[in-house]
Amino acid sequence: MFWAIPSLVLVLLLMVSDAVFAESWNLPPLPPPSQYGNVMINRSAGKSDRSPVTFSHWGHRVKYTCRVCHSELGFEMKANATEITEEKMKNGQYCGACHDGRTAFGHTPENCDRCHNGNMGYGEEKFRDLESLPSSRYGSHIDWTEAISKKLIQPKQTIFGGKYAPDSFRKVLTMEPQWAEFPPAVFPHEVHNSWLDCSSCHPDIFNIKKKATKHFSMNFNNEGKFCGVCHLSVAFPLNNCKRCHPALGR
Ligand code: HEC
Ligand code: HEC
Ligand code: HEC
Ligand code: HEC
Ligand code: HEC
Ligand code: HEC
């Protein structure tokens, strides 16, 4: 009889919906799709006479991959962790690498409030321009994997001239959970490498040896560690159980 217990648990799990799962894991509530991935930057702005700055991930990732900002320009993957100042930006760092009046609007008085707007919903009307992209459940409701692999969007991989081609490392990992009866998670390297650098994850987030990352479990993901570094705020959220645990069905 003992053998029957794990498979019974699995059958039951296969029958419950993502919504039930999400509830049992206490995942944070999701913002409207047009605000998913928006960041309110208020490290120093609030102490000046300017409003906090809002930054939209969907608005920028259609044009640039993550590596441009998080590797080339040095933005941290954590809200309010980067020391961004007006002086640095005028010297071409951070937002100022693009917001220079040529690539994008510059740091001139008429533009201050386009960034310093203190409004998480700023620029929402432009979200409708992305309606034609393939859709997914949760998060921004855009299937970014399909959008980039079908070349419906062609975000720049570098802004420093020259060419950059993503590393061709393609290994798909099957990650067996600590609960033997739960279906494994998949980790496709190729999908990630079309947006990120190896150094976005190795060695700071994940050990480069499979099964070597310590304390790796869903609880830690939910706290914003490991997969949760990106899959709570910018990449599709943890609510989408089936996209990482495909045996749960689509
Ligand atoms: C492209 C977006 C953008 C534009 C345009 C912009 N800022 Fe900022 N600004 C930022 C960001 C991001 C920060 C960092 C905010 C933080 O960490 O709280 C910042 C910080 C500031 C700060 C506080 C930090 C410091 O260095 O003093 C002031 C003051 C400021 N901006 C004034 C202005 C003024 C005045 C204008 C218009 C002439 C302007 N900004 C235009 C994005 C922008
Ligand atoms: C145009 C620049 C840009 C691009 C492209 C970009 N980011 Fe960001 N990202 C930022 C900035 C700016 C912040 C806020 C940093 C800060 O406040 O210190 C941020 C913050 C984050 C955060 C923390 C969010 C939070 O709420 O704490 C994550 C996670 C993240 N980015 C992941 C990604 C991923 C994954 C991609 C690619 C799909 C990406 N970013 C593309 C600029 C960018
Ligand atoms: C890698 C280049 C790049 C970086 C870095 C970048 N942006 Fe942008 N941003 C753009 C481009 C290109 C556009 C669209 C063109 C335009 O509106 O001039 C844009 C548009 C915007 C818009 C939309 C404004 C509107 O009124 O429609 C905001 C707001 C904005 N960026 C804020 C920021 C902030 C804040 C940062 C830094 C935290 C930042 N951007 C960093 C390239 C960049
Ligand atoms: C989005 C995060 C992420 C990125 C980007 C990434 N990796 Fe990984 N990588 C992982 C994870 C997660 C593991 C498994 C770690 C574990 O099980 O402890 C892993 C494991 C590995 C392993 C061990 C595989 C095995 O079977 O033992 C190698 C080798 C590796 N990565 C190389 C790379 C290279 C090369 C790149 C860049 C081309 C890269 N990774 C980019 C997340 C990433
Ligand atoms: C550094 C950021 C980052 C980390 C960490 C990360 N991912 Fe992702 N992941 C992304 C981005 C960006 C995408 C593209 C899709 C999107 O943005 O919604 C993606 C897509 C995926 C996909 C979708 C594949 C498809 O076919 O659409 C899977 C599955 C996935 N990630 C699993 C994982 C797992 C499992 C982990 C932890 C072991 C992990 N990811 C860690 C950023 C990350
Ligand atoms: C971004 C990818 C991702 C998503 C989305 C995701 N998981 Fe996981 N999950 C993982 C990874 C990776 C592991 C394996 C950890 C390990 O190697 O031990 C895991 C492990 C598990 C385990 C085994 C116990 C444990 O903590 O290790 C359970 C149960 C689980 N996930 C349930 C869920 C449920 C329920 C959802 C939806 C609410 C979900 N997962 C969504 C990546 C994901």
Side-chain angles (χ1 to χ4, degrees):
M1 261 322 272
F2 290 121
W3 59 268
I5 295 169
S7 52
L8 182 66
V9 172
L10 181 57
V11 169
L12 286 173
L13 283 169
L14 288 169
M15 282 159 44
V16 262
S17 68
D18 290 349
V20 175
F21 277 144
E23 210 163 291
S24 64
W25 284 98
N26 276 324
L27 294 174
L30 292 169
S34 59
Q35 290 182 24
Y36 185 77
N38 286 10
V39 184
M40 179 82 75
I41 307 177
N42 194 11
R43 206 171 178 273
S44 57
K47 295 180 203 124
S48 73
D49 56 353
R50 292 285 152 189
S51 297
V53 173
T54 53
F55 173 82
S56 152
H57 270 97
W58 57 257
H60 286 88
R61 70 184 288 190
V62 296
K63 299 192 183 75
Y64 306 97
T65 58
C66 326
R67 72 173 300 280
V68 166
C69 290
H70 291 289
S71 300
E72 293 187 343
L73 299 177
F75 284 109
E76 301 287 337
M77 279 199 185
K78 195 171 190 294
N80 293 313
T82 320
E83 200 180 314
I84 311 166
T85 61
E86 277 302 291
E87 203 184 318
K88 287 183 190 166
M89 288 196 281
K90 285 186 186 132
N91 291 329
Q93 287 177 264
Y94 298 121
C95 320
C98 305
H99 288 276
D100 57 1
R102 292 186 299 274
T103 305
F105 63 86
H107 275 76
T108 40
E110 73 277 15
N111 289 329
C112 308
D113 294 339
R114 289 173 79 173
C115 291
H116 290 275
N117 54 59
N119 171 11
M120 275 298 237
Y122 183 82
E124 236 160 15
E125 64 289 349
K126 289 196 183 140
F127 190 66
R128 261 178 261 130
D129 299 345
L130 306 183
E131 249 170 23
S132 61
L133 294 178
S135 64
S136 75
R137 298 178 72 193
Y138 305 109
S140 60
H141 289 222
I142 293 168
D143 186 332
W144 294 102
T145 307
E146 207 181 319
I148 198 173
S149 66
K150 290 193 174 156
K151 297 198 160 56
L152 302 171
I153 55 169
Q154 286 180 287
K156 283 198 171 73
Q157 293 277 357
T158 176
I159 54 166
F160 292 133
K163 275 208 183 286
Y164 172 89
D167 193 294
S168 61
F169 190 69
R170 293 214 163 87
K171 195 159 186 180
V172 179
L173 305 178
T174 302
M175 313 183 86
E176 296 292 344
Q178 288 154 11
W179 304 358
E181 67 273 25
F182 200 79
V186 290
F187 179 84
H189 267 93
E190 193 180 6
V191 170
H192 290 89
N193 294 340
S194 60
W195 294 100
L196 295 149
D197 279 353
C198 315
S199 62
S200 313
C201 292
H202 297 302
D204 287 356
I205 310 180
F206 300 107
N207 207 302
I208 203 147
K209 247 177 89 200
K210 199 177 173 224
K211 274 283 165 199
T213 308
K214 290 213 169 61
H215 308 299
F216 195 3
S217 73
M218 279 301 287
N219 282 329
F220 285 99
N221 285 338
N222 296 349
E223 285 168 15
K225 300 195 175 81
F226 307 122
C227 316
V229 169
C230 301
H231 286 283
L232 278 171
S233 51
V234 178
F236 69 82
L238 291 175
N239 308 57
N240 207 340
C241 315
K242 294 167 188 175
R243 227 166 143 190
C244 287
H245 297 283
L248 294 174
R250 274 278 160 183

